[in-house]
Amino acid sequence: MAPCPCCLPPYPRPHTSHEPTPHGRPRPRPPVAVRVPPGACRSRTGPGGAFRCGGAMDTNLRLWRAQGPSFFQRFLLWADVLDPLLLFASPDEIRRTRVLIESSEKTLSVPIQNDQTKRAFLLSLSSVHPDTGKIIPVFFRPPAFLPLSLPLVIASSLQVQAKQVFFCQFAFHTYTTAFTVLNGNGTIKDEDNSLQQKQLFFSVGAVSYAALIGALPFIFMNRYTLKSPLTQLVVKKLLPVPLFGLTSAFTVAAVRSPEFENGIEVMDRNGKVLGVSKKAGAKAVKETALSRGVLFGTAFFLPAVLMHFVERANFVKTPRALVSMRMLLITSVLAGMLPASLSMFPQCGEIKRTDLEPEIVSSTEETVLFYNRGI
């Protein structure tokens, strides 16, 4: 790989001697070689083989730090990032905008006003993984999460047979688990593919377990013919809310367990990696699991409560109209809760230096360090 631009001057600067050449010009001396200390440059390959130096914090994380310090600012930024129209950008366009952003010196601390620059940043945030620099597959990018998960959530909420509930929730958890794996923290090294095999094993187990737990109340109700009104109320309206939220959080914790077992990279405000921390990994997984549980727990809870009042007020009388109303409520709640849940915690996570391992504490004087939380 060619030397990193941050480690060498962009152009060789030859020294000149005072001894003139036959044409009367100063005689140039050979360029001075610049020796880079081992380990000083953490260069890696970006999207499409584009060069990127690892000595600075990734553009996406720098943008989240600058533009999203508060919940409201993160909510507005996520509302733009989740635009499904960003999915239609070609890989070449994403690479061009990524290179443009990385080569520019635009100050990220000021609001982005230019539409072209704003679109470039939104494409980068919605399409490129901040740890690996690779383009995320289109069906697992953040803008695709709502269009693909919404039908599965609606289908899971409308089923009353155990087999149908299991199938719908198995499909739902399969998609959300794959989304979690591809958008998690990517700093763990996997040279012998052992991590990939472990994540695959955990994913299959977590998805199967979560789908079974979701269908378990219906299995008991059908097996023991529990048809009383109280049982119907508990199984169909009360139990699905906590179960769906808990199983969603469980799958996140299960498939991202290597992050708190092996640790994730933490860096200072300049992007210099100071080490690998298991405590930072546990914090990142905990925050992501909590936000996922809140998202889908609320998506089941609020529509159920609102539908209760709709049925009592007798606003809608036909069964088909009730189903349509329930689908509309689930869509509205999930569309509003998705950016809200993602904004609960900073995307560029922060952790106090005193909360980290001793070897990291002794390596820096900064009070707060940073990491990629993942989605």
Side-chain angles (χ1 to χ4, degrees), residues 38 76 81 86 136 140 148 153 171-172 178 195 228 231 274 288 296 305 309 335 339 373:
L76 294 179
V81 172
L86 296 174
I136 303 171
F140 300 100
L148 293 179
V153 173
F172 167 78
L195 174 62
S228 65
T231 303
L274 301 175
T288 307
F296 291 112
V305 172
F309 290 106
R373 179 175 68 87

Side-chain angles (χ1 to χ4, degrees), residues 169-187:
Q169 294 210 12
F170 187 89
F172 167 78
H173 289 298
T174 298
Y175 172 73
T176 56
T177 298
F179 180 91
T180 301
V181 171
L182 293 174
N183 289 275
N185 188 286
T187 60

